[in-house]
Amino acid sequence: MIRKERNIAMNRPKICCLFGGRSEEYEVSLVSCSCVLREIDREKWDVVTVGVTKQGMLYRYDGEISAIETDAWRLDKAHLRPAAFVPGEDGGYLLSFDGKTGAVAAREKIDAAFPVMHGTFCEDGRLQGYLDLCKIPYVGAPCAASAVAMDKVFTKRILQGSGIRQAAYTVLGRAEIEADPAAAAEKAARVAAFPLFVKPANAGSSVGVCKAKDLPSLARALCEAARYDEKVLTEETITGREIEVAVLGGAKPMAATPGEIEPGAEFYDYLDKYKNGKSRAYIPARIRPQTAQKLREQAVLIFRLLGCRGLSRVDFFVRERDGEEEIVFNEINTLPGFTPISMYPKMMQHDGLSYSALIDRLLCLALEDAKERT
């Protein structure tokens, strides 16, 4: 018999927090979601959690939060049930199944999902499309905006026509790189003088990003980036301050006080972000007030141009040019990290929005958006 799990406090919306995923940023998601689960106001929200393994299997998990952070959750068989989202006539549902018989064990109405997940299969539109089909509202950008913003090449091409200053770049395909890395490097090197940055078109947290100082290292960097995506971006190096802007909202988004990252490595790579802890953050960023205001305006403009909603972190460089501070767009992240060192919640906290209040606002935006679309 199917057991319907009802929300005892009927005024509390049922929220599903998702973590993990088929992504190189799986471990970052575990830490982000653990932080969210510890801070979410359970008097306002009835929370269930769904973990996604690196193989893409979904499990309803009701064990300890600490096991999520250490990746021990998937071994906790007593608190795992295979799960799936499905649509119903009155909205979306989470089904969980008996692990032995495969029979449906529970059916829960989900009011909104918070995908605290990063990278491919998580913030590139595929998960968002699945939730859309299942009639489940969610935190963050819609399907199309998620896909476009995740793809650095698409993002650049869309923003080019709107006066957004960007680094010079070129794009090569995986097949071309693998066929002749040396020839691919010579072609990519025409974009600008060395050093050059090489990035997978679809990846986050600086996964697969390399700095090339000559043709041999450029060929190696192209091959490394091609491991993560079929399109590889080669960019000129912009020397300047690394500035991040947190954007929050729906129809009328707002931007927080810009923050600055001072890398502890040659550039702000994955190890520097999540392992070494040598980078330093400054909020507010060490820039002129008028530049900070321009950054906030440009971040909101980019958010709107790409069709985002809920939240995004927009990254820029600010460099000195003829006595002025020039703004150069770097990239946008539609599901930024929520780890203890993540800049998005830190910037919001600086402007007076606590971690818990930020979660409330994001979930309310998801519910409001669902009402507008019905």
Side-chain angles (χ1 to χ4, degrees):
M1 179 182 292
I2 298 174
R3 178 169 55 89
K4 293 185 179 180
E5 297 188 0
R6 295 195 177 190
N7 185 357
I8 296 174
M10 298 304 290
N11 60 331
R12 286 190 303 159
K14 179 159 281 190
I15 304 302
C16 181
C17 288
L18 293 104
F19 63 87
R22 291 174 56 194
S23 165
E24 296 295 329
E25 298 173 74
Y26 172 89
E27 287 79 11
V28 180
S29 171
L30 301 186
V31 180
S32 286
C33 193
S34 298
C35 293
V36 169
L37 291 172
R38 291 190 180 102
E39 293 290 337
I40 193 168
D41 188 343
R42 293 175 188 268
E43 292 186 359
K44 294 181 180 178
W45 311 101
D46 181 20
V47 182
V48 299
T49 55
V50 168
V52 184
T53 68
K54 289 184 178 181
Q55 293 73 40
M57 302 300 293
L58 276 67
Y59 292 93
R60 190 193 189 287
Y61 174 70
D62 59 6
E64 295 295 324
I65 296 173
S66 58
I68 296 175
E69 195 164 13
T70 60
D71 199 21
W73 72 275
R74 56 194 173 84
L75 306 176
D76 187 4
K77 304 300 183 184
H79 295 96
L80 288 180
R81 287 191 301 207
F85 296 107
V86 296
E89 290 186 2
D90 59 344
Y93 287 81
L94 173 65
L95 301 185
S96 50
F97 304 89
D98 184 284
K100 293 181 180 179
T101 67
V104 176
R107 181 174 182 262
E108 301 170 88
K109 174 76 180 299
I110 301 298
D111 293 298
F114 191 169
V116 195
M117 305 168 75
H118 317 296
T120 51
F121 295 99
C122 300
E123 61 177 307
D124 59 1
R126 283 180 271 203
L127 175 60
Q128 290 74 16
Y130 176 37
L131 293 172
D132 282 335
L133 286 171
C134 294
K135 301 181 181 179
I136 297 176
Y138 49 87
V139 170
C143 181
S146 296
V148 168
M150 184 69 181
D151 191 304
K152 296 177 178 65
V153 177
F154 289 160
T155 297
K156 283 179 172 291
R157 288 174 177 166
I158 287 173
L159 297 182
Q160 273 177 345
S162 299
I164 306 296
R165 173 77 173 89
Q166 307 174 59
Y169 71 97
T170 190
V171 183
L172 295 175
R174 177 188 287 161
E176 183 177 5
I177 293 167
E178 292 178 344
D180 192 337
E186 289 186 3
K187 185 175 181 179
R190 298 172 193 158
V191 70
F194 285 105
L196 296 168
F197 274 97
V198 179
K199 307 173 180 179
N202 289 274
S205 294
S206 299
V207 171
V209 177
C210 299
K211 189 175 183 180
K213 299 180 179 179
D214 51 32
L215 281 172
S217 63
L218 179 57
R220 291 192 296 271
L222 290 170
C223 291
E224 174 65 15
R227 291 176 52 210
Y228 300 98
D229 197 66
E230 294 184 357
K231 291 187 294 186
V232 175
L233 193 69
T234 303
E235 287 183 332
E236 71 167 313
T237 296
I238 303 295
T239 303
R241 298 185 183 277
E242 297 191 30
I243 310 296
E244 301 183 350
V245 184
V247 181
L248 171 68
K252 296 181 179 179
M254 56 77 66
T257 299
E260 177 183 352
I261 293 292
E262 185 177 78
E266 188 174 8
F267 66 96
Y268 196 36
D269 61 6
Y270 185 89
L271 289 175
D272 197 27
K273 287 178 178 178
Y274 302 112
K275 302 291 185 180
N276 298 335
K278 294 181 179 180
S279 62
R280 296 185 64 183
Y282 297 91
I283 305 173
R286 299 171 295 178
I287 53 178
R288 297 165 194 164
Q290 60 268 35
T291 305
Q293 182 57 32
K294 289 178 182 177
L295 280 163
R296 296 173 78 164
E297 293 170 358
Q298 196 163 117
V300 169
L301 174 62
I302 291 168
F303 185 87
R304 284 176 164 158
L305 286 171
L306 296 176
C308 297
R309 71 166 183 253
L311 76 166
S312 287
R313 194 196 69 236
V314 190
D315 299 344
F316 300 89
F317 296 105
V318 172
R319 63 182 177 184
E320 287 285 340
R321 277 279 178 100
D322 302 321
E324 300 290 333
E325 289 183 328
E326 181 186 37
I327 297 170
V328 182
F329 169 73
N330 184 19
E331 61 187 42
I332 184 171
N333 188 321
T334 56
L335 283 176
F338 274 76
T339 74
I341 63 169
S342 295
M343 287 291 282
Y344 185 89
K346 282 187 174 183
M347 287 183 279
M348 287 297 171
Q349 288 167 18
H350 177 273
D351 283 8
L353 194 64
S354 70
Y355 200 114
S356 179
L358 173 59
I359 295 170
D360 286 348
R361 181 69 183 126
L362 290 170
L363 291 172
C364 286
L365 284 167
L367 294 174
E368 288 169 10
D369 183 71
K371 290 179 181 178
E372 292 176 1
R373 290 192 292 165
T374 55

